[in-house]
Each structure stands twice: as C-alpha cells, then as structure tokens.
Amino acid sequence: MRRPSALVLLLPLLSTFACAPLASEQDDEATLPGEAAQAASTPLRAKALGRMRNAAKYFHDQVARHGGYAWHHNANDLSERWGDIRLDDEQIMIQSPGTSDVVVAFVEAALADPATPALKTYATDAAMALRHGQVKSGGWRLYADFKATPTLTACYRHTTANCGCGGCTTTTYDDQTTQNALIAMMRADLLLGFANTAISESSSYARARMETSQFPTHGGFPQGFAGPVAARPALTASYPPSIGTSCGLAHCYANSYTHEYWDDPTLNDNLATAFVEMLNWAQDIYPARATTYQAMRTAFGGFLRRAQLPQPQPAWAQQYDIQMQPRWARNWEVPAIAGQESQDVMWALLRLYQLDPSVPANRDAVGTALAYLETVDHANDTLIHRYIELDDTAPANLGFFTVKPGGYPVRFSQAPPTYQNYGWETPSQLAALRAEYNRLASDTTVMKRTCQQLRADTAQAVDATVNNEKWLTTYSPSGPRSGSTPGDYLDTSTFVRNLRTLAEFVTRTTTDCTAWNY
C-alpha cells in the first residue's frame, strides 16, 4: 500500500477548537522576511501570507529538480532524495505525495495570493515537470527521469524514440498516479487561463485517452491502460463459487482468470475517490466536454454500487474478475472483503451523492455497508483489517494476510506479519463516514474545515516553520526509507499539507471566515 494522496477528498474534520488566542498570535518577535517589519501583534493572516510565500519560494528554488520533487529530501544534503527508491538529481516522483501534489499546492497558493506572481511560475514549472513524465499512452507512471538515457524507463511522449520497453508503455492508475497528475495539469491549465499551450495540450492528450480507459457499459477502470479498453457487461458482484464450503480461507477461491489482474476492474489503494475527483475537475474546467465527464462519473457510480457484495458482507473487494467476483491480485492480495478499499469506496459514493443528490442509491449503499462494517473494526474501533475472510454462511470477520502458495506466511493473529511494506491493518474511518452519511441526509453542501479548525491548523503550520521558510521532519534513529540517512528531511507531504492550509486560510479569511481575520 502506498502513501495516501494529498489530493483525494479530505475526510471530514469533526473536532473543533476553542477560540482562545493561539501561541502564534502572541509571538512578539515574529517578522516576515521579504516584507516590512511587522508590529508585535502581527495578525495570523499576515504571518500565513509570509510563510506561504517564503516556503513556496524555498521549495521551488532549493528543493526542485527540473521543476519536480521526490517524497523526502535530506535537509542537510538535498542531493539525497527518496521516493519509494533512492532518486538521483535527474529523477522525480509523479506518484503522491510527489510532484502532482506540489502543483496543486502552488496553484492554490497562487489563487490565494495573486499579488505574488512568482507562485504562478512555481506552479508552471512543476506542471512542466509532469508534462515531461507523460507517457505516450496518455497518462503517467510513478516516476519521471530527465536523463538522456533514462534509468527509470518509460515510453515518454516527448523524449522516447523507441518504446520497446514492455510494460513501460502503460499508463498507471494504481496509487492514484495518473488521476492526481491529470488533476494537477487541469488545475494548472485553468490557473494559467489556458494560455500555456504545452500544458493545455498535455491535459487534452491525457483526457482524450482517459476517456477510452473506462470499461464501456461496465463503468469501472483497470489499474492501468496502454490503449482503449473493451466493453464488459454490467454485472453485479457475487461471491466466488466455492463460498460456503467451510474451508473458509482464500485458497478455496481458486478461479481461473482470463485476464491479468491489472487489466481487470480495481479499487486497489483508494482509487475510487481519485476517479470521482478527476472526473469532477474535468467536468468543471472543460465545459465543452462536461456532458462526457458527467456521464463517465455517473457510470462509475453505477459500477461502485454493483461492485458491492451482497449480504451478509455488503462491502467491497480490492480486485474483481470478469465475472465481478473477488479475485487474486499479487500473491499476498487475496479474494476478500477489503477494509481500506471499502472505506474509500464509501467516501467516493458520499461524494457522488453530495454532487448529485438525485441519485440516493449512492448514499443508500453506504448505509448498508456501514451497518456491516461497524461490526468488523477492532482495537477499540480504531483499526480495520485490510482483508476480511469471505464466508456467506457465517462470516468470520477475521483479518488475515495471505495464503496463496509462494506468498508470505499465513497469519491469523492481530499482530502484523514480518513483511512490513503493506498496510495489513488501517485506521478505521467508520465513525467519520457515519457522521458524513448522517449529515448528508439534510445538508449536501461541501464539507469544509470549520473556521476554528482552520485557524488552529494554520497556527500550527506558522509556528512549525523553520527560518520562516521550511518544515522539517526528523527521522531518528532511522531515515524515512530503508538505507536513508537518519536526520531532518523536507517531506513533500508536509509541505503540501501546510501550504494548502495556509492558502485556504488566506482565502477564507476574506470569505466565510471573516470573523477570524484578526
């Protein structure tokens, strides 16, 4: 399981904060580099503006390579850069939390602060780095390599003459890679008034091919595509044929598959919300194609509802076969109820209902799933299993890891297996999902952070800024990835989260949070 995207729909922020003055408002020595010195009572909004400008400039000027970014950058040696592997100075991460997320953060900062034109430049440079990484099938892969002879091979649109590199021609949807990159390109295109022909063309090229990657009639998407996908029937999910035989575990469900798992419909690693947001942004930004994107979004909602397994386990699997039954993916990814993916599907369905309340079936499916899944989470309702045993006669609700020959050892205890590069258990979001499900019964406005919550988050971002220009994450006694140097890092996920928070605060203190414009 990869890190979650910074671009997918934010979970509802349920807690509120008291309105007492915050530490950052009482900082009697704070000044804003690059601006006139402020009085001791510098307003938080002015501090947020200053930190936003300075942090964006530092990240762009010092951290970027060819306009793009890694996941982790050693603060004391910026040449030590990590994604899920170590990167050299010619390589960047597309996959979140990478360059796509930074584009969006810069776009939102530029919209919040039009008086600082450099922010548009930063967004443009990062978007052009994404453009370099676009592959000829239309979308993106996990990385981009700027070397004349790339070591991270891909069939790059603008630089690869010979695409005889096997799977490197494939666009990947896994880990939200292409969805988030396309959202970033579309938002940069809009920010620039569709005047940057290179970015506009890249967005248009990607969207045209994305439109042919949704299974006609069926409505789902594969993990990736190299060209248009064939139609599939709109089947409703069912259990594998040997269900209920009391053998229980996933090795009982040994269907033979006619397709590789990456060509079958997938919900792996939170793809559902990413598809909804990608199609929604496309519909809003490109009205000439709005009808197409609305139809694609509607078809995807239909797929999500049909992918819900029937009682007594009305939730979702990670992978489906051509018969719409849970299937094996990799040898540790079992046919099962998938706790993490089920939560993501529920967020996607609630978002679809919020966008279009005329389809109550989207919200209804969530209510049915919650009634079941609320009996499954564990550890005082703080965790949910990645995989839950299929059994339509007496659901064991047992979290397990893998049983396929050649996979990792079978584990049936609460303790995670020794193989740690996977999320065998994940935080339960069921309480937040239940709250949003209930709220949407009477209020279909977009859920936003409360002004109090936004104020507290902004104060934290302001106070945590080192030298008023960066945020550090300390990894000790180890580094952020296996083999990395222990110490302070500039994490892209932290930069994106904080910059977007500052941009939201700057914007909303002139709109709905004017009472907090102190």
Side-chain angles (χ1 to χ4, degrees):
M1 180 181 67
R2 307 293 187 187
R3 291 168 177 263
S5 166
L7 296 179
V8 297
L9 185 65
L10 295 174
L11 300 183
L13 296 163
L14 302 176
S15 59
T16 57
F17 288 75
C19 300
L22 299 168
S24 60
E25 296 177 76
Q26 300 169 341
D27 179 3
D28 59 6
E29 297 180 356
T31 59
L32 298 180
E35 298 185 348
Q38 303 294 308
S41 59
T42 299
L44 181 57
R45 187 176 189 275
K47 288 186 178 183
L49 265 171
R51 301 297 196 276
M52 184 175 74
R53 293 167 183 168
N54 294 342
K57 177 177 173 57
Y58 181 86
F59 216 62
H60 172 270
D61 292 356
Q62 303 300 322
V63 181
R65 297 293 183 269
H66 297 280
Y69 302 86
W71 287 350
H72 314 280
H73 314 80
N74 188 316
N76 298 308
D77 177 9
L78 290 173
S79 67
E80 184 179 354
R81 306 164 64 251
W82 292 84
D84 57 354
I85 59 174
R86 183 160 184 172
L87 304 176
D88 63 35
D89 278 349
E90 302 299 311
Q91 298 165 340
I92 64 172
M93 291 300 300
I94 304 296
Q95 179 194 331
S96 295
T99 302
S100 301
D101 306 74
V102 177
V103 172
V104 168
F106 283 151
V107 165
E108 293 180 355
L111 292 171
D113 183 18
T116 305
L119 293 168
K120 277 190 177 181
T121 301
Y122 306 159
T124 302
D125 289 349
M128 290 299 289
L130 287 183
R131 177 180 179 271
H132 175 88
Q134 189 173 24
V135 296
K136 292 184 181 181
S137 55
W140 286 264
R141 295 171 65 78
L142 305 188
Y143 321 95
D145 195 320
F146 287 78
K147 291 191 288 293
T149 303
T151 52
L152 296 175
T153 57
C155 184
Y156 298 117
R157 283 187 66 199
H158 303 288
T159 59
T160 305
N162 181 1
C163 289
C165 50
C168 77
T169 62
T170 301
T171 285
T172 182
Y173 281 135
D174 200 23
D175 301 305
Q176 312 108 43
T177 301
T178 287
Q179 300 92 312
N180 289 347
L182 181 51
I183 290 170
M185 294 301 283
M186 292 189 293
R187 296 194 65 181
D189 196 17
L190 178 62
L191 173 73
L192 300 173
F194 312 103
N196 185 304
T197 56
I199 291 173
S200 285
E201 189 277 337
S202 177
S203 169
S204 177
Y205 187 93
R207 286 181 287 112
R209 283 144 187 84
M210 175 270 292
E211 290 176 24
T212 69
S213 70
Q214 184 179 33
F215 295 118
T217 306
H218 179 279
F221 290 87
Q223 280 201 6
F225 64 91
V229 300
R232 291 194 177 193
L235 300 178
T236 299
S238 60
Y239 294 103
S242 60
I243 197 76
T245 62
S246 300
C247 72
L249 307 176
H251 56 41
C252 296
Y253 319 131
N255 285 1
S256 59
Y257 305 120
T258 58
H259 294 75
E260 295 287 359
Y261 74 86
W262 52 80
D263 293 326
D264 274 342
T266 187
L267 296 171
N268 182 50
D269 281 347
N270 302 333
L271 297 192
T273 50
F275 281 125
V276 170
E277 294 307 315
M278 175 184 70
L279 293 169
N280 189 50
W281 279 110
Q283 180 183 354
D284 285 350
I285 293 174
Y286 302 102
R289 300 291 294 167
T291 301
T292 295
Y293 300 132
Q294 172 64 62
M296 292 179 70
R297 200 177 72 194
T298 299
F300 186 61
F303 159 71
L304 293 180
R305 296 193 303 274
R306 290 192 303 276
Q308 186 173 23
L309 286 156
Q311 294 287 356
Q313 293 175 288
W316 289 266
Q318 176 178 311
Q319 288 283 156
Y320 294 84
D321 64 15
I322 198 167
Q323 299 299 324
M324 280 293 282
Q325 294 174 346
R327 66 158 289 172
W328 283 98
R330 291 174 291 185
N331 59 13
W332 64 91
E333 295 173 320
V334 296
I337 297 297
Q340 171 183 281
E341 280 76 10
S342 291
Q343 293 185 138
D344 180 64
V345 171
M346 288 190 286
W347 285 119
L349 287 168
L350 291 176
R351 174 67 163 148
L352 287 168
Y353 178 75
Q354 183 267 318
L355 290 166
D356 185 6
S358 71
V359 187
N362 288 326
R363 179 174 174 271
D364 293 344
V366 175
T368 302
L370 282 172
Y372 161 62
L373 289 169
E374 285 167 341
T375 70
V376 171
D377 55 351
H378 65 95
N380 295 320
D381 298 335
T382 62
L383 295 175
I384 191 168
H385 292 292
R386 181 67 182 267
Y387 298 120
I388 299 161
E389 180 183 349
L390 289 175
D391 187 344
D392 67 351
T393 57
N397 298 337
L398 176 67
F400 62 96
F401 304 122
T402 182
V403 294
K404 192 175 185 181
Y408 295 89
V410 181
R411 299 295 291 269
F412 297 98
S413 69
Q414 299 292 325
T418 55
Y419 177 61
Q420 295 294 337
N421 193 34
Y422 205 75
W424 302 102
E425 295 173 323
T426 192
S428 173
Q429 301 166 14
L430 298 182
L433 280 158
R434 173 64 73 179
E436 180 68 351
Y437 171 83
N438 291 339
R439 183 187 77 88
L440 287 172
S442 58
D443 179 7
T444 56
T445 59
V446 176
M447 172 65 82
K448 296 188 293 188
R449 280 186 271 199
T450 66
C451 294
Q452 296 95 326
Q453 176 82 60
L454 179 58
R455 177 189 181 193
D457 293 344
T458 300
Q460 188 280 328
V462 165
D463 287 344
T465 313
V466 176
N467 295 333
N468 297 323
E469 64 183 8
K470 57 190 173 186
W471 294 282
L472 299 179
T473 302
T474 301
Y475 292 94
S476 181
S478 64
R481 308 295 295 183
S482 176
S484 58
T485 305
D488 292 335
Y489 280 80
L490 302 162
D491 280 355
T492 296
S493 58
T494 302
F495 170 81
V496 167
R497 182 182 66 251
N498 286 335
L499 200 75
R500 294 184 74 184
T501 291
L502 296 177
E504 181 182 350
F505 185 79
V506 168
T507 298
R508 290 180 62 190
T509 48
T510 64
T511 55
D512 62 313
C513 293
T514 52
W516 305 99
N517 189 7
Y518 35 78

